């Protein structure tokens, strides 16, 4: 009963816009603002690591919240993320985790990108961070929207 009262008091004291949701090590607003830019659709991702091959990112968007699937030769990875517009810059952040060897040791993959327009096609470029047990590894990437 005490827990219910404590949670109720928190909701009365903290405005909903101040609540945060922690997923994948990132903090995002629990009730995201409406996004001014739509990034939903299919994207082809090329990484500065040729042996990785290209990947396909399929995004769905509701307001500023993203969810989707990152598909590559390694398999499919469900992702979640957020779109934010700060003045003229549109930032896209998305992430996912997977159990690499079935041992319960999860590897996080985080993407940090800036939306651009190249040759009349939406593009994003940024950095993919792979959080390995012995430390993070960063790889630059570019994505072009195909649908």
């Amino acid at each position: 009963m005490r827990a219910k009262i404590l949670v109720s008091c928190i909701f009365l004291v903290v405005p909903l816009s101040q609540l945060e949701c922690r997923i994948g090590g990132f903090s995002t607003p629990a009730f995201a603002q409406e996004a001014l830019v739509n990034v939903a659709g299919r994207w082809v991702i090329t990484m500065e690591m040729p042996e990785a091959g290209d990947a396909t990112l399929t995004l769905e968007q509701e307001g500023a919240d993203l969810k989707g699937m990152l598909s590559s030769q390694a398999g499919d990875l469900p992702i979640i993320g957020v779109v934010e517009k700060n003045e003229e810059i549109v930032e896209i952040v998305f992430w996912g985790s997977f159990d690499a060897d079935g041992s319960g040791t999860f590897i996080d993959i985080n993407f940090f990108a800036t939306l651009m327009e190249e040759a009349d096609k939406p593009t994003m470029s940024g950095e993919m961070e792979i959080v390995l047990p012995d430390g993070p590894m960063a790889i630059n990437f570019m994505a072009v929207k195909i649908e």
Side-chain angles (χ1 to χ4, degrees):
M1 182 68 173
R2 277 189 181 166
K4 286 183 181 178
I5 292 172
L6 180 60
V7 169
S8 297
C9 289
I10 290 171
F11 280 116
L12 291 174
V13 174
V14 179
L16 291 178
S17 62
Q18 299 293 319
L19 290 177
E20 292 185 345
C21 175
R22 295 204 49 90
I23 300 173
F26 293 95
S27 178
T28 61
F31 299 95
Q33 302 276 332
E34 188 70 27
L36 300 175
V37 176
N38 185 349
V39 297
R42 288 188 46 206
W43 299 76
V44 173
I45 297 178
T46 304
M47 293 172 237
E48 281 187 5
M49 193 168 105
E51 62 274 11
D54 289 348
T56 301
L57 173 65
T58 305
L59 291 175
E60 296 176 19
Q61 183 174 345
E62 186 174 316
D65 297 326
L66 300 172
K67 68 178 180 177
M69 187 69 64
L70 179 65
S71 301
S72 71
Q73 61 190 16
D76 294 335
L77 177 67
I79 59 99
I80 57 173
V82 65
V83 178
E84 294 181 353
K85 184 170 182 177
N86 299 317
E87 296 179 22
E88 296 300 315
I89 298 172
V90 176
E91 297 172 331
I92 304 163
V93 179
F94 55 95
W95 57 91
S97 295
F98 66 96
D99 188 351
D101 58 7
S103 68
T105 302
F106 282 83
I107 294 176
D108 296 330
I109 298 181
N110 310 309
F111 288 81
F112 307 93
T114 302
L115 186 67
M116 303 173 300
E117 193 80 25
E118 280 193 20
D120 295 329
K121 285 191 175 199
T123 61
M124 65 172 99
S125 68
E127 188 175 87
M128 175 181 74
E129 177 186 68
I130 303 171
V131 184
L132 301 167
D134 58 343
M137 176 175 78
I139 301 167
N140 292 328
F141 78 93
M142 175 157 285
V144 177
K145 191 171 185 181
I146 56 174
E147 291 179 2

